[in-house]
Amino acid sequence: MSRREGIIRRLAASRRPSTHVCQTCLLSEPPYRLASTATAQSTLQPEPIERPPSGRAAPSTTPTSLRTTYRVQASVLLSRPPLLTRDLTPFEKAYFLYQRRLNERLALPFSRYFYYQKGTPGDVDWKRKMKERQTPARDIGRYNAYSREAGWNDELLVGARESEPEEQVEALLKDAEVEVQKEEGEDGEEGSQVVKEAVAKPLPRVTEADRAGDRRSLDRLLQRTLYLVVRRRDGRWWFPSDGLVGKESLHTAAERILIQAGGLNMNTWIVGNIPLGHYVRNYLKPRVVEKEEEDNTSQDQIRGTKYFFMKGRIMAGQANLKDNNNKKGLTDFQWLAKDEVQKILWPQDWSAVKNILAER
């Protein structure tokens, strides 16, 4: 008989006669209990609950809680996209002129009588213009691709202005002029004379607002993206911003902010429901705000403000701070490009938005 079987038999003999234990249970039961097992079972027993004496209400033991949080605000990056292409660099100007001249050299000769009948006024006008510019192309200057004397002068010479857009516009306008012969007696003049009819010139790339330096106008910097910035009561320049009202979404808050900041005279579009980015501005000293609830009073420790930037586009109209909807007390507004925004924002604010704003 093994030692284990002997211990089991002694345990079975020590039990009361009324308790019946089968052989299988006796073999599976451990011969002794560990002290840690008894301690674990004792700790699982629930502790008695102290109840107040009958007839008395339990006193409120909820302390005043202090919760650390941030203020959430939606900020709108309302922009006007570029209306014109950017200016070309000197290298790009010379390259495009070289390509047009090279194309003129490689192309087939112009079929003159296919377009103009010999002896007609159109044919006469064509010969006059060809004599002046030496080429069918109208915007590459005086150039003859088949002349032995001119040689290979496809590249732009030093100091030449044929590659400048202003010179090319003037050349196109001059080519569009039509000579009209006035008969005797017209306008009180005697004899017939040839007069060139004026052609309407395109609008310049530099507007009156650029010359006057009007930063409130949308008709400036037509090659750049402009952003709306407003000045608050404390004199700080920032984008139109405000907190969320109730369960308001960022998209709905952005639409409300534009109406309150710029008035109803702007046709705007908030692009999407997801913000472009966010910015956390921490206060130098946290602010404590008390909140009264039904059963207790809580205190919120405001550490700063979290701004979520929403993208917007202006289609038409203009901001108007004198509107009755200007409830934020804004004092001024400007439409600025990215480099101009950098000059009026605080350094910490600029570091948060510089990678969001468009370069052009």
Side-chain angles (χ1 to χ4, degrees), residues 8-270:
I8 293 175
R9 291 182 181 274
R10 286 196 298 271
L11 288 174
S14 64
R15 295 180 181 272
R16 291 182 297 177
S18 61
T19 304
H20 175 72
V21 180
C22 64
Q23 189 71 14
T24 305
C25 295
L26 289 174
L27 293 176
S28 61
E29 185 178 0
Y32 53 86
R33 296 178 60 189
L34 299 176
S36 59
T37 307
T39 305
Q41 291 182 359
S42 63
T43 56
L44 294 177
Q45 297 180 359
E47 297 181 358
I49 301 176
E50 297 182 1
R51 299 183 181 275
S54 60
R56 296 183 181 180
S60 177
T61 59
T62 305
T64 302
S65 60
L66 183 61
R67 182 175 56 181
T68 302
T69 183
Y70 285 85
R71 287 178 178 171
V72 178
Q73 290 195 3
S75 185
V76 186
L77 301 180
L78 186 65
S79 62
R80 186 224 65 190
L83 303 180
L84 298 178
T85 57
R86 64 173 179 84
D87 291 334
L88 300 178
T89 63
F91 174 79
E92 291 173 339
K93 295 175 185 178
Y95 174 78
F96 289 135
L97 178 66
Y98 169 76
Q99 288 293 328
R100 289 197 296 270
R101 285 185 172 180
L102 184 61
N103 179 73
E104 192 70 17
R105 180 183 294 276
L106 299 178
L108 294 175
F110 182 76
S111 302
R112 167 185 167 189
Y113 294 114
F114 180 81
Y115 296 95
Y116 303 104
Q117 188 176 358
K118 188 175 182 180
T120 58
D123 182 54
V124 175
D125 186 63
W126 168 259
K127 289 190 295 183
R128 178 183 63 83
K129 294 177 180 179
M130 279 291 296
K131 187 177 181 181
E132 294 177 1
R133 62 175 184 250
Q134 299 293 321
T135 178
R138 300 172 295 175
D139 57 347
I140 62 175
R142 187 179 177 87
Y143 174 76
N144 189 350
Y146 306 103
S147 175
R148 296 181 179 179
E149 299 177 358
W152 290 88
N153 57 352
D154 300 332
E155 297 182 3
L156 183 66
L157 302 179
V158 177
R161 292 185 53 82
E162 286 85 356
S163 62
E164 297 296 330
E166 294 80 7
E167 294 293 330
Q168 296 175 3
V169 169
E170 291 296 331
L172 293 174
L173 293 175
K174 184 179 179 181
D175 184 80
E177 293 178 351
V178 179
E179 293 184 353
V180 178
Q181 186 174 3
K182 289 187 176 182
E183 300 295 336
E184 183 179 357
E186 294 182 6
D187 298 335
E189 299 179 0
E190 297 182 358
S192 60
Q193 57 181 351
V194 177
V195 180
K196 293 184 179 180
E197 291 185 350
V199 181
K201 295 184 178 181
L203 295 176
R205 298 173 66 91
V206 180
T207 62
E208 293 294 336
D210 291 325
R211 300 187 186 96
D214 185 8
R215 293 193 169 188
R216 294 186 178 182
S217 175
L218 282 168
D219 297 330
R220 62 183 295 266
L221 296 180
L222 302 181
Q223 310 170 32
R224 304 286 302 277
T225 299
L226 300 182
Y227 294 92
L228 175 64
V229 292
V230 293
R231 184 166 60 184
R232 307 191 309 180
R233 296 175 182 175
D234 55 359
R236 172 172 161 261
W237 288 94
W238 188 238
F239 303 99
S241 306
D242 194 14
L244 304 183
V245 179
K247 296 183 179 180
E248 193 177 37
S249 64
L250 291 175
H251 184 96
T252 307
E255 294 178 343
R256 174 181 56 83
I257 290 169
L258 291 180
I259 295 177
Q260 294 179 351
L264 298 172
N265 193 29
M266 287 196 305
N267 182 11
T268 59
W269 171 45
I270 302 300

